[in-house]
Amino acid sequence: MIDEEISNLTVIDALIRQKRPFAVYRIPGEKLPRLLTQAEENIRLIYDLQELNGQKGFVIAPFRVSEMCPVILIQSDGWGQSLSLDDDTEEEYEASLQIQEQEIFQTSYTKEYAGCFQAFINALRDGTFDKLVLSRHITMDKGADFSPSSVFRAACKRYIHSYIYLCYTPQTGIWLGSTPEIILSGEKDEWNTVALAGTQPLQDGKLPQVWDEKNRKEQDYVTAYIRSRLLSLGIHSTESGPYPAYAGALSHLKTDFHFSLIDNNGLGDLLKVLHPTPAVCGLPKEEAYRFILENEGYDRRYYSGFIGWLDPNGRTDLYVNLRCMHIEDERLTLYAGGGLLASSELNDEWLETEKKLQTMKRLITSTSIIANH
């Protein structure tokens, strides 16, 4: 494709039709997304995060690496080509107002979720775990007018504080997400990761300043874990936080860790130590990881893995794959989860996942309204 043909987002739907591997992403704070394409035969499949040591490219890593869900490395020399984002139309502005008025939460939990919650809460209350993350997924019919590029564009416009991505490979299928959580970013001798946990809705569009003990304790667990994991590799960090941070229409408590590395070619080792963090897994980590695989009742696949650009000799921006959807031929699968402590209540946790699912639902609804206008 010539440069003129890939100057805007319409190329994405064409790449999907052609089944051509690509990744398009927008980093928080940047205005324009970047597009990477790849010949299928040049995609690298990885089965151990340590194999990312010294590698460069766009990474798509699952919650659990397996034969069915390998780590994908789209190998590219550069960050990709910038794409333009058109200004919002009046129709899009009206649609966003309509959605806010139409949002409906399913207030009654499902029998499946209640059963999983009980198994998780029993393990917390008997002291086996300090924290566990229980997630769930929902499926929706994909309308005939569904356009991945339109949903990606809407996400870039709506969620300015989040990392937005859309990617396709034959191994993963199509995934789209909007996530606030860095797992690793930086360049040269300045690196950072974050502890992100605890959830509250925004209050009149603003960050809440008062947080209850459950949310603070959940965040403390994640912070202590990341601190200890960095120290296990001899990495001494400086911390700032916790403070409230934006995540779509929600807010989380966030602590930043800043550090330097002796050798940037060991990023795979660092990622293996950090992933999965207690923000998506639990504590103690290895035991919680096994418990989730055995008791959650479904395969998370690439949800709660991590995704983004890796370059030991340049800039790295890798994010935990949180608010996301898997786009298939006739259906969409949306994912959300929440951190449980012994004090967690079933109704509260269900409602939290409902609010998190709205991150993707809003985008689907808004683009559908505009397409049918």
Side-chain angles (χ1 to χ4, degrees), residues 3-4 29 35 52 65 95 98 108 171 175 195 211 213-214 218 223 248 250 288 290 309 333 355 371:
D3 286 353
E4 287 78 5
L35 172 69
L52 290 173
V65 180
Q98 268 184 263
S108 55
Q171 295 80 12
W175 286 76
W211 293 76
E213 186 184 356
K214 187 263 180 183
E218 190 183 339
T223 300
L250 299 173
R290 286 195 296 272
W309 180 254
T333 304
K355 289 173 180 174

Side-chain angles (χ1 to χ4, degrees), residues 97-322:
L97 293 180
Q98 268 184 263
I99 295 158
Q100 289 170 16
E101 294 165 6
Q102 292 173 3
E103 279 184 8
I104 299 169
F105 299 117
Q106 185 182 329
T107 53
S108 55
Y109 48 78
T110 63
K111 190 165 69 173
E112 291 80 9
Y113 182 82
C116 280
F117 179 88
Q118 199 57 54
F120 278 54
I121 210 71
N122 288 346
L124 287 160
R125 290 178 180 167
D126 69 15
T128 305
F129 302 102
D130 293 320
K131 175 183 176 178
L132 287 169
V133 174
L134 173 59
S135 73
R136 65 187 182 95
H137 64 300
I138 61 168
T139 57
M140 303 170 61
D141 287 337
K142 188 174 103 176
D145 53 12
F146 182 88
S147 159
S149 68
S150 296
V151 177
F152 175 82
R153 180 183 176 280
C156 288
K157 295 284 186 180
R158 185 159 193 146
Y159 303 133
I160 58 173
H161 301 288
S162 294
Y163 179 87
I164 313 296
Y165 79 89
L166 171 63
C167 63
Y168 164 77
T169 72
Q171 295 80 12
T172 61
I174 308 164
W175 286 76
L176 182 149
S178 163
T179 172
E181 183 175 356
I182 292 167
I183 190 167
L184 182 65
S185 72
E187 59 187 322
K188 296 178 181 172
D189 58 356
E190 293 185 7
W191 293 85
N192 74 292
T193 186
V194 304
L196 198 74
T199 303
Q200 278 198 77
L202 297 180
Q203 297 169 0
D204 296 323
K206 295 179 181 173
L207 293 167
Q209 299 303 315
V210 178
W211 293 76
D212 63 22
E213 186 184 356
K214 187 263 180 183
N215 278 302
R216 288 190 170 279
K217 194 172 181 182
E218 190 183 339
Q219 213 276 340
D220 286 346
Y221 281 136
V222 181
T223 300
Y225 167 83
I226 290 176
R227 185 186 302 127
S228 71
R229 293 292 79 203
L230 292 175
L231 285 171
S232 76
L233 293 178
I235 298 169
H236 295 269
S237 60
T238 58
E239 299 176 26
S240 56
Y243 59 90
Y246 286 101
L250 299 173
S251 172
H252 302 300
L253 281 174
K254 181 177 181 180
T255 298
D256 294 305
F257 293 81
H258 296 278
F259 51 91
S260 58
L261 298 172
I262 296 169
D263 180 8
N264 290 355
N265 283 315
L267 298 182
D269 295 334
L270 178 53
L271 288 164
K272 187 164 184 174
V273 162
L274 292 174
H275 174 69
T277 75
V280 297
C281 185
L283 288 167
K285 174 180 165 177
E286 293 305 325
E287 293 85 343
Y289 186 57
R290 286 195 296 272
F291 184 88
I292 289 167
L293 295 176
E294 291 167 6
N295 293 279
E296 200 167 49
Y298 80 105
D299 186 350
R300 293 185 182 186
R301 294 175 52 78
Y302 291 91
Y303 162 67
S304 69
F306 61 86
I307 195 156
W309 180 254
L310 174 73
D311 183 357
N313 300 312
R315 174 84 197 168
T316 289
D317 287 288
L318 295 170
Y319 282 73
V320 182
N321 192 17
L322 293 178

Side-chain angles (χ1 to χ4, degrees), residues 20-22 38-46 60 71-75 168-171:
R20 184 172 169 190
F22 74 91
Q38 176 76 79
E40 187 176 330
E41 60 271 17
N42 293 334
I43 286 177
R44 183 165 170 197
L45 308 186
I46 290 172
I60 311 165
V71 178
I72 306 295
L73 183 64
I74 298 177
Q75 297 175 298
Y168 164 77
T169 72
Q171 295 80 12

